[in-house]
Every structure is written in structure tokens, then in C-alpha cells.
Amino acid sequence: MKLIDKQVVSLNNLIVKLKKKKCPPEGLLILFPHCLQNTQCKQNIKNDLSECKRCGKCKVKNLMELSEKYGVSIAVASGGRLALERVKAEDVQGVVAIACEKELRIGIMASLPKAVIAVPNLRPHGFCKDTDVYLDEVEKAVERFVK
Ligand code: SF4
């Protein structure tokens, strides 16, 4: 991971927090990468998130529960261009984005001036495979926008 990616993510998060940007729950989007889905899972969540059976083998279940708890939108970032289109949609006022630092840096720059709180993922099996995330970090980011 390049130091510059980490620095851009940290600086961006600091700026968004200092600006105290708020938005209604319906204006907030949680965006997570497809590599968070357990690789053994056959559900086509890329196509439709409701395909997730919420078996608990990966954090997709928890993120969906979090989106319901706060009434915020949630989407899988299945490709750079599609993810950006979703982020740039008029109804999206704030984004909590989960990804590796490089993807977060690229996403943050491309989404400007939209407010994005970036949550770096965990990679116990390396990049792009069975990734993970600290749920409390995601929840804290959601609360920064909606509370
Ligand atoms: S929680 Fe279970 S059903 Fe849902 S995406 Fe993860 S492994 Fe698949």
C-alpha cells in the first residue's frame, strides 16, 4: 500500500469530519466492495443485494443490517465506473465508502465535491479476496452524517 493513498484517505476523513457535513438518512450511501462477499457464497449480490441470505459468513449481512438500522442506502461497488455513477447520483449527499486505500483515494478524488468518509478494509487473505471491515468504524462514519 502506498503511503500517499493512506495519507489522502486520512486527510479526506479529517476534512469531512471538521466540516461536520450532515445529511438525512435517505441521502447517505454505504458503498462496499464485492470482495467483501465470502468467496464460497453463490448468491449474486452484485446483481441484487437482496440475494444475500444473511448467513453471517461475511460482513455483507452486518452491513445490510446497519443500513436498515439507520435507514440509509447501501450498494456494492461492482466496478469503478458504476460505483462512481451511483456516488454522483443527485439523491446521494454523503457516502461511507469501504475499500482498500488505493481504491478509496481514486474514489474520493473522482467524487469531489461530494463528502465521502473512507473506511479502509481489512485484508486477512490479501487484496480482493474475502476482505473484511471493522463494523464499529462503519457505524461511527454513518452516525457522523446522520446524527
Ligand atoms: S452473508 Fe452469507 S449469503 Fe450474504 S453474501 Fe455473505 S456469505 Fe453470502
Side-chain angles (χ1 to χ4, degrees):
M1 175 215 325
K2 285 190 191 155
L3 186 61
I4 185 77
D5 297 332
K6 216 174 171 183
Q7 287 173 333
V8 169
V9 166
S10 301
L11 186 63
N12 166 79
N13 284 354
L14 183 65
I15 292 169
V16 175
K17 285 168 194 170
L18 288 175
K19 281 187 175 169
K20 296 189 166 74
K21 163 85 180 166
K22 297 285 173 194
C23 68
E26 59 273 20
L28 186 64
L29 173 69
I30 298 174
L31 193 64
F32 70 89
H34 184 240
C35 58
L36 201 84
Q37 182 182 21
N38 187 294
T39 42
Q40 306 297 317
C41 178
K42 301 279 181 264
Q43 300 310 115
N44 188 3
I45 64 160
K46 253 184 175 181
N47 191 43
D48 181 2
L49 251 185
S50 67
E51 286 261 328
C52 171
K53 301 277 186 212
R54 305 194 183 199
C55 71
K57 283 187 186 148
C58 72
K59 295 276 173 65
V60 174
K61 167 189 184 276
N62 309 75
L63 291 176
M64 288 181 70
E65 287 172 354
L66 203 62
S67 80
E68 286 161 3
K69 177 178 171 185
Y70 289 91
V72 305
S73 304
I74 184 164
V76 192
S78 49
R81 189 181 53 81
L82 282 178
L84 194 59
E85 271 175 23
R86 186 73 187 91
V87 167
K88 290 210 165 212
E90 221 170 283
D91 60 314
V92 175
Q93 298 168 42
V95 181
V96 174
I98 302 161
C100 66
E101 288 82 352
K102 182 185 166 198
E103 291 299 323
L104 288 172
R105 173 181 58 77
I106 293 168
I108 289 164
M109 310 294 264
S111 309
L112 282 170
K114 221 152 245 192
V116 178
I117 294 184
V119 181
N121 61 10
L122 305 168
R123 301 176 289 268
H125 308 284
F127 281 89
C128 309
K129 188 184 175 213
D130 289 330
T131 59
D132 202 351
V133 66
Y134 288 128
L135 289 170
D136 58 336
E137 279 188 31
V138 180
E139 186 158 9
K140 250 189 258 168
V142 169
E143 288 186 344
R144 277 190 188 276
F145 278 112
V146 301
K147 274 202 170 171

